[in-house]
Amino acid sequence: MSRASRGGVNRARRDGLARRRRSRGGMGNNAGSDVKAAYLFIAPAIIGFTVFVVYPLIRSFYLSLTRYNGLSDPVFVGLGNFRRLFTVDPAFWPSLRATAYLVVLYVPLSLILGLALAMFCNQRFAGVRLVRTLAYLPVVLPVVATITLWKFILNPQVGLLNTVLDRLGLPTSLWLQSPTMAMPSIVLVMLWGVGGTMIIFLAALQAVPTELYEAARVDGAGARSMFVRITLPMISPIMLLQVILQTTAALQTFNQPKILTNGGPGFSTNVLMLAIYNNGFSNLGRVPQLGYASAQVWVLFVVIIAVIALTAKFSSLWTYSDNTPD
């Protein structure tokens, strides 16, 4: 090959390398600009999460280690609030028992009633849309106004419920004024808003393939067998979701006990959220105990995380998944 030919080949190679470097540089610049744009778009969410979630968590944990009334500077006391909570406060263990009692009563009943309503509303009959609307309507009604109306209904002297029971010749009750009936009465009021649970179950039921039911009918399966062997397994992931949502909501119940009983009679309905409120936002004449209330908040937070973790850990024992290993 002549010197001129070799020179031409070398120039072509140099030009090719230069073009590839420019191409890689352009791709790198484009990738860098895309990353910057991505961070720019998610910045508001990150800032909001940091300001409204991360900072309050850190701040509340710090306050749980202090004696703080919201007016003077916090005084560090270490684990003093937690020692007082578990060993000195006479209201803590009753409030924890009341919260557990509420969860045990409310969660199974809300799941059973919500699923029953969903299965009823999943049928085809005239007026089914109206029934669905009426079942969901309590969810969108004003919460405080609805609870206040229920407080009048459950009044043992002039309440509508006792009046109807008395007219029918059935035994009446003290309802909210009875230590044994106060919590079931609160659960009854909470079940008034079971329409939200019903809607989620209804969506799950409508997502079950109809081919499964048709094949089961051909094999001679009855309604009960199809419910146990098809419906429940297919909606079990949604059931898991509902268990977690309803349990978390029950552990944080506040409006119903506050308006209906204010924690009474005695400590029978003094759930943990109400105890936190009473300590953190005391009535006039009492000094708020925001540090102590923050310690109670962290106890409740740990309880919620533990319940969710245990539920998720054992969910594989009763939830169905069509993702089989290779």
Side-chain angles (χ1 to χ4, degrees), residues 97-166:
R97 285 194 295 270
T99 304
Y101 184 35
L102 175 66
V103 171
V104 170
L105 281 180
Y106 172 71
V107 174
L109 289 175
S110 66
L111 294 176
I112 293 172
L113 184 57
L115 182 56
L117 279 174
M119 293 190 67
F120 178 72
C121 292
N122 197 37
Q123 307 299 316
R124 294 183 179 179
F125 58 89
V128 64
R129 293 184 179 180
L130 177 61
V131 173
R132 292 174 184 173
T133 302
L134 293 177
Y136 188 74
L137 184 61
V139 179
V140 299
L141 293 177
V143 176
V144 175
T146 303
I147 298 174
T148 304
L149 179 61
W150 272 103
K151 187 175 184 179
F152 170 75
I153 293 174
L154 296 172
N155 186 290
Q157 284 77 37
V158 296
L160 178 62
L161 184 55
N162 269 357
T163 301
V164 172
L165 291 175
D166 184 61

Side-chain angles (χ1 to χ4, degrees), residues 5-320:
S5 299
R6 286 197 297 270
V9 171
N10 290 335
R11 281 195 300 273
R13 288 176 179 174
R14 286 195 297 270
D15 292 342
L17 290 173
R19 284 195 297 270
R20 284 197 291 272
R21 290 194 188 102
R22 287 195 297 270
S23 176
R24 285 197 294 268
M27 291 174 63
N29 293 334
N30 290 337
S33 61
D34 290 343
V35 171
K36 292 179 182 178
Y39 279 121
L40 183 64
F41 279 115
I42 66 175
I46 294 176
I47 294 173
F49 182 78
T50 303
V51 172
F52 296 108
V53 177
V54 177
Y55 173 74
L57 278 175
I58 297 174
R59 178 67 174 173
S60 68
F61 182 72
Y62 166 71
L63 291 179
S64 71
L65 304 176
T66 66
R67 183 171 62 250
Y68 180 56
N69 59 16
L71 300 175
S72 58
D73 294 332
V75 178
F76 186 78
V77 295
L79 298 177
N81 286 329
F82 294 96
R83 283 194 295 268
R84 173 188 168 191
L85 189 64
F86 288 104
T87 61
V88 178
D89 190 350
F92 172 69
W93 292 108
S95 68
L96 205 59
R97 285 194 295 270
T99 304
Y101 184 35
L102 175 66
V103 171
V104 170
L105 281 180
Y106 172 71
V107 174
L109 289 175
S110 66
L111 294 176
I112 293 172
L113 184 57
L115 182 56
L117 279 174
M119 293 190 67
F120 178 72
C121 292
N122 197 37
Q123 307 299 316
R124 294 183 179 179
F125 58 89
V128 64
R129 293 184 179 180
L130 177 61
V131 173
R132 292 174 184 173
T133 302
L134 293 177
Y136 188 74
L137 184 61
V139 179
V140 299
L141 293 177
V143 176
V144 175
T146 303
I147 298 174
T148 304
L149 179 61
W150 272 103
K151 187 175 184 179
F152 170 75
I153 293 174
L154 296 172
N155 186 290
Q157 284 77 37
V158 296
L160 178 62
L161 184 55
N162 269 357
T163 301
V164 172
L165 291 175
D166 184 61
R167 294 288 179 87
L168 296 175
L170 299 174
T172 59
S173 174
L174 293 176
W175 302 116
L176 298 172
Q177 298 178 15
S178 168
T180 57
M181 288 300 299
M183 189 62 78
S185 301
I186 288 176
V187 171
L188 174 65
V189 176
M190 293 173 65
L191 291 174
W192 173 251
V194 78
T197 305
M198 180 269 295
I199 287 294
I200 297 177
F201 274 135
L202 181 60
L205 290 173
Q206 293 181 346
V208 178
T210 57
E211 295 83 0
L212 297 178
Y213 295 111
E214 293 171 357
R217 292 191 189 96
V218 170
D219 291 339
R224 180 179 177 181
S225 178
M226 286 190 293
F227 175 75
V228 173
R229 297 180 180 275
I230 298 177
T231 304
L232 284 182
M234 293 302 295
I235 68 170
S236 58
I238 300 299
M239 183 74 74
L240 172 63
L241 172 66
Q242 289 286 58
V243 168
I244 293 176
L245 291 178
Q246 298 305 320
T247 303
T248 304
L251 287 170
Q252 300 178 80
T253 300
F254 172 76
N255 289 329
Q256 291 83 359
K258 174 62 178 176
I259 297 173
L260 294 173
T261 62
N262 200 25
F267 292 114
S268 60
T269 61
N270 189 42
V271 294
L272 201 50
M273 278 296 296
L274 185 57
I276 292 170
Y277 173 82
N278 289 333
N279 285 314
F281 303 93
S282 302
N283 297 324
L284 292 177
R286 291 182 57 193
V287 178
Q289 305 177 70
L290 293 177
Y292 186 61
S294 297
Q296 291 178 301
V297 167
W298 272 93
V299 170
L300 178 60
F301 177 74
V302 170
V303 169
I304 292 174
I305 293 299
V307 169
I308 293 175
L310 289 173
T311 305
K313 180 177 178 59
F314 295 103
S315 63
S316 59
L317 300 177
W318 55 275
T319 55
Y320 168 79

